């Protein structure tokens, strides 16, 4: 079997604890209260209904309020799926039928009754509904969801899929979390958008727009009552504000900007730095429906104008400059050698200017305008790219908006260029399907290729992993040769916590790009 097939799931992460000047104020009080306050990098949430478009800011909320049928071992992503709302499952001999036997006695928050097979069918049917769900294409392989009895569900696929369980796992930034049929029917979908009802260890309590979400301990949780009494998610798009709040004890944990100076500074002050995988893929998409980006010479010029070493210098040790579309820790990722030389990204501003001149933009260049999120990682990378493009004659205007608005607008294709950080279960097929399949929600390039779609179809039907990986590599070659996206960098996600916060597990990989606080998470008393 090739290295591509065996590629380890998945990139290891590191935890560093350094002694120093971490503020100890009120540590005893915090330990007694067992409350953790976590700061996210966005200014607000967009949706707390996981079937609608949602992004990483919502993940630390949804993944402790709602649960999937299965889960991963704490702190890692692997093929070793663990029971969650399904206590066991069976896979048919042909790989097409998954029978889930549900845990009995699991209660929905706010007295919405017991979790049953009817909830599973309601959830999966809602995810599959193209008129409702942002993730319907992920469920293309599902042929039928059948309630066998109150605690048994049978899911029939159109063809075998050895990675199907990843779609219904709980630790995810996209889909798979179970919904209460009774809550949706009683309250209506609109009311549920910002008031999730789940079965998890914490229940939704309060939402204050542009300030916080409060979650309280579920005293009836099937998996045992959590140590923490309360989780507060604070919205803090400013990196400076987050750092100050961490130093003063206003918050306990935070998602950090991908900024080498910030991480070094916080390490020296004694905070715990967790860097988790798998890698986030930072792609600069080019909208081929917008002139002059419909001209491949212009798209190539943009690619050759951007200096990867500048990105690396700014982002620091958590970043790897990409020379392929997908990180090699993902199943089916193409290697550098797989991509034809003429389709590879390389910094060559002289060639960029020549290509622009050939396309008719040699003297005056041209202007582009785009919205960009206030979030530091997105914004600061685009400021660097803005300067690179200016050097070859492309004037790029950046219009700052809040993070939720950015994500709501880019799917409407308002931008000529879209910076997007994406992560998935480490399988190249998922990222390729999301971003490049004809008509996909995240196909920001507005690109369509019958050959590409057919390669993905073939990979999806293929049960031999060697052949499946080969087809995925061929699909990546098609994307690369059309220069519709620049991969820029792969990054591990840095998270910061005060030493008093004990996660209760060793964080190495997670598809939640924030901390996921479990039943064993606790606040330690001051020593």
């Amino acid at each position: 079997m090739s290295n591509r097939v065996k590629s380890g799931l998945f990139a290891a992460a590191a935890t560093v604890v350094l002694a120093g000047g971490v503020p100890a104020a009120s540590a005893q009080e915090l330990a007694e209260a067992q409350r953790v306050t976590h700061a996210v990098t966005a200014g607000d949430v967009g949706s707390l209904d996981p079937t609608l478009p949602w992004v990483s800011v919502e993940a630390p909320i949804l993944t402790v309020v709602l649960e999937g049928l299965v889960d991963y071992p704490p702190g890692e992503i692997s093929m070793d799926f663990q029971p969650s709302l399904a206590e066991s499952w069976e896979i048919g001999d042909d790989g097409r039928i998954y029978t889930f036997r549900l845990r009995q006695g699991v209660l929905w928050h706010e007295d919405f009754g017991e979790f049953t097979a009817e909830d599973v069918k309601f959830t999966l049917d809602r995810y599959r509904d193209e008129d409702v769900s942002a993730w319907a294409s992920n469920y293309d392989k599902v042929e039928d969801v059948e309630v066998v009895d109150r605690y048994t569900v049978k899911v029939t696929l159109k063809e075998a899929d050895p990675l199907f369980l990843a779609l219904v796992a709980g630790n995810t930034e996209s889909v798979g979390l179970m919904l209460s049929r009774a809550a949706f029917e009683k309250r209506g979908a609109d009311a549920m958008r910002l008031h999730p009802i789940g079965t998890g260890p914490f229940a939704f309590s309060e939402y204050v727009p542009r300030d916080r979400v409060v979650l309280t301990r579920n005293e009836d949780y099937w998996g045992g009552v959590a140590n923490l009494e309360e989780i507060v998610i604070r919205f803090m798009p400013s990196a400076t504000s987050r750092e100050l709040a961490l130093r003063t004890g206003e918050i306990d944990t935070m998602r950090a900007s991908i900024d080498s100076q910030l991480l070094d500074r916080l390490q020296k002050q004694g905070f715990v730095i967790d860097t988790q995988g798998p890698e986030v893929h930072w792609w600069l998409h080019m909208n081929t429906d917008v002139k002059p980006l419909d001209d491949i010479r212009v798209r190539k010029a943009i690619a050759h104008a951007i200096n990867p070493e500048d990105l690396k210098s700014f982002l620091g040790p958590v970043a790897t400059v990409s020379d392929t579309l997908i990180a090699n820790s993902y199943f089916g990722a193409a290697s550098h050698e797989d991509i034809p030389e003429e389709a590879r990204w390389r910094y060559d501003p002289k060639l960029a200017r020549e290509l622009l001149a050939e396309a008719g933009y040699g003297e005056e260049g041209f202007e582009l305008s785009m919205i960009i999120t206030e979030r530091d990682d997105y914004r600061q990378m685009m400021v660097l790219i803005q300067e690179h493009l200016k050097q070859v004659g492309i004037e790029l205007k950046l219009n700052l908006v809040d993070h939720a608005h950015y994500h709501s607008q880019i799917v409407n294709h308002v931008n000529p260029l879209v910076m997007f950080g994406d992560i998935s279960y480490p399988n190249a097929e998922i990222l390729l399907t999301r971003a490049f399949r004809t008509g996909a929600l995240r196909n920001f390039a507005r690109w369509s290729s019958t050959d590409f779609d057919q390669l993905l179809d073939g990979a999806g039907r293929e049960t031999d992993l060697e052949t499946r990986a080969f087809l995925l590599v061929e699909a990546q070659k098609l994307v690369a040769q059309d220069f519709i996206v620049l991969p820029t960098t792969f990054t591990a996600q840095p998270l910061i916590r005060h030493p008093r916060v004990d996660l209760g597990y060793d964080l190495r990989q997670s598809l939640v790009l924030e901390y996921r606080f479990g039943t064993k998470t606790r606040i330690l008393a001051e020593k």
Side-chain angles (χ1 to χ4, degrees), residues 381-444:
M381 276 195 279
M382 282 310 304
V383 169
L384 277 176
I385 290 171
Q386 179 187 45
E387 182 59 29
H388 292 157
L389 296 181
K390 184 177 181 179
Q391 299 303 313
V392 300
I394 301 174
E395 293 289 338
L396 177 62
K397 182 181 179 181
L398 301 177
N399 303 302
L400 198 65
V401 299
D402 69 70
H403 194 60
H405 183 68
Y406 178 72
H407 279 277
S408 71
Q409 291 303 299
I410 58 177
V411 295
N412 294 325
H413 309 292
V414 299
N415 269 0
L417 300 174
V418 172
M419 174 59 75
F420 194 84
D422 206 0
I423 184 175
S424 78
Y425 180 83
N427 175 11
E429 182 181 353
I430 298 173
L431 293 180
L432 293 173
T433 299
R434 285 180 184 170
F436 307 115
R437 184 180 279 280
T438 301
L441 184 70
R442 296 181 185 174
N443 188 339
F444 303 122

Side-chain angles (χ1 to χ4, degrees), residues 158-176:
K158 296 173 184 175
E159 60 260 343
D161 181 359
L163 299 177
F164 173 71
L165 287 177
L167 197 58
V168 291
N171 181 350
T172 175
E173 51 79 45
S174 55
V175 297

Side-chain angles (χ1 to χ4, degrees), residues 2 37 69 80-81 101 131 191 223 255 275 306 353 406 409 411:
S2 72
T37 300
L69 293 175
D80 182 22
F81 294 102
R101 307 201 183 279
D131 295 330
R255 182 171 176 180
T275 56
I306 297 172
R353 286 188 287 269
Y406 178 72
Q409 291 303 299
V411 295

Side-chain angles (χ1 to χ4, degrees), residues 139-194:
Y139 285 86
D140 281 346
K141 294 179 183 178
V142 176
E143 182 176 274
D144 184 55
V145 182
E146 177 188 350
V147 173
V148 178
D149 58 41
R150 185 174 178 81
Y151 303 110
T152 309
V153 179
K154 183 168 71 175
V155 179
T156 302
L157 307 182
K158 296 173 184 175
E159 60 260 343
D161 181 359
L163 299 177
F164 173 71
L165 287 177
L167 197 58
V168 291
N171 181 350
T172 175
E173 51 79 45
S174 55
V175 297
L177 302 172
M178 293 291 109
L179 305 171
S180 166
R181 175 180 174 179
F184 270 80
E185 290 179 347
K186 180 177 180 179
R187 293 183 174 175
D190 288 345
M192 296 300 293
R193 188 178 70 83
L194 291 172

Side-chain angles (χ1 to χ4, degrees), residues 44-58:
D44 208 347
V45 294
S47 170
L48 295 176
D49 173 357
T51 55
L52 304 179
W54 59 291
V55 291
S56 57
V57 62
E58 287 97 35

